[in-house]
Amino acid sequence: ELTFHGDKDGFSGFTSLEKLRIWGCPKLISSLVHKYENNDQRNGRWLLPHSLVELKIGHYSLEPLQPCFLEDRNCLKRIDLWYCSSLKSLQLRSCTALEELLVDGSESLGELEGNFSCLKELVLFKNPGLESLQLHSCPALEVLVIQDCESLVTLEGNFTCLRKLALKENPMLKSLQLRSCTA
């Protein structure tokens, strides 16, 4: 039942905050995430402090999630999402320093977008709604693990540093286009 009753900038004012872990507090996250009826692009915006390095969320219940920062620069290197069953869209365009992303048990996830130029590790478990994954701008990606993504049909990417690729129990995966795997 915990909610946030601060200003509209949410946790972004905690300028020294480096780690944020929220587990089983769906009303807290709902009170921090912006909802705009007239602008779908801005729905799900969650203002975070630029000092944040690690974000871990469990049992999140809103459809879009879009971490954002008041400043262009940010330090967010790791995001872990666990059992976010209603999550349909994960928009990580503002997370320009992101190195590790784990999404586990997001049954409705159908869209994953972002600036993945620094991403080194991507792990996707039990995301049956994900049909297509296009990772064309992942020059630093070293580890890619995709398991139990039942609806995943295509996986495309341009990887130069890929060292570990694990694809397990993705029965619909028909197209695998990985270019520039030099490692």
Side-chain angles (χ1 to χ4, degrees):
E1 300 297 316
L2 182 67
T3 59
F4 182 77
H5 292 288
D7 62 17
K8 63 181 171 70
D9 293 339
F11 285 165
S12 65
F14 299 115
T15 57
S16 297
L17 185 67
E18 293 182 1
K19 292 184 180 183
L20 178 59
R21 295 179 184 146
I22 301 174
W23 189 270
C25 299
K27 288 189 176 184
L28 174 62
I29 296 173
S30 296
S31 67
L32 291 163
V33 173
H34 295 266
K35 296 163 211 72
Y36 301 93
E37 291 182 22
N38 297 333
N39 189 341
D40 288 339
Q41 293 279 17
R42 293 174 50 188
N43 272 336
R45 285 186 68 219
W46 182 10
L47 293 175
L48 297 168
H50 65 86
S51 58
L52 193 66
V53 175
E54 182 178 291
L55 176 63
K56 294 186 177 188
I57 301 171
H59 298 281
Y60 172 76
S61 61
L62 294 175
E63 292 180 5
L65 181 61
Q66 182 178 357
C68 297
F69 304 89
L70 291 177
E71 300 180 22
D72 285 340
R73 64 179 176 82
N74 67 79
C75 299
L76 188 59
K77 293 189 183 301
R78 181 178 181 97
I79 297 177
D80 288 2
L81 299 175
W82 300 84
Y83 306 110
C84 302
S85 59
S86 303
L87 183 65
K88 290 184 179 181
S89 173
L90 182 56
Q91 300 168 6
L92 303 172
R93 288 182 221 100
S94 296
C95 304
T96 56
L98 191 63
E99 293 180 359
E100 297 177 47
L101 176 60
L102 169 93
V103 183
D104 187 346
S106 295
E107 299 168 9
S108 301
L109 183 66
E111 182 179 12
L112 178 61
E113 293 181 14
N115 178 340
F116 299 125
S117 59
C118 295
L119 193 65
K120 292 182 180 179
E121 183 172 330
L122 176 60
V123 178
L124 301 170
F125 289 127
K126 300 177 187 168
N127 300 294
L130 192 62
E131 295 179 4
S132 176
L133 193 56
Q134 298 180 358
L135 302 168
H136 294 291
S137 58
C138 297
L141 193 67
E142 296 177 0
V143 177
L144 177 58
V145 177
I146 302 173
Q147 182 173 337
D148 288 326
C149 294
E150 299 166 5
S151 300
L152 186 66
V153 176
T154 60
L155 171 61
E156 296 180 18
N158 193 0
F159 311 116
T160 55
C161 295
L162 196 61
R163 295 180 333 158
K164 177 182 178 183
L165 174 64
L167 302 171
K168 298 178 185 175
E169 300 175 29
N170 305 298
M172 299 297 292
L173 189 60
K174 303 286 187 228
S175 175
L176 183 62
Q177 296 180 12
L178 305 177
R179 290 181 292 277
S180 297
C181 295
T182 57

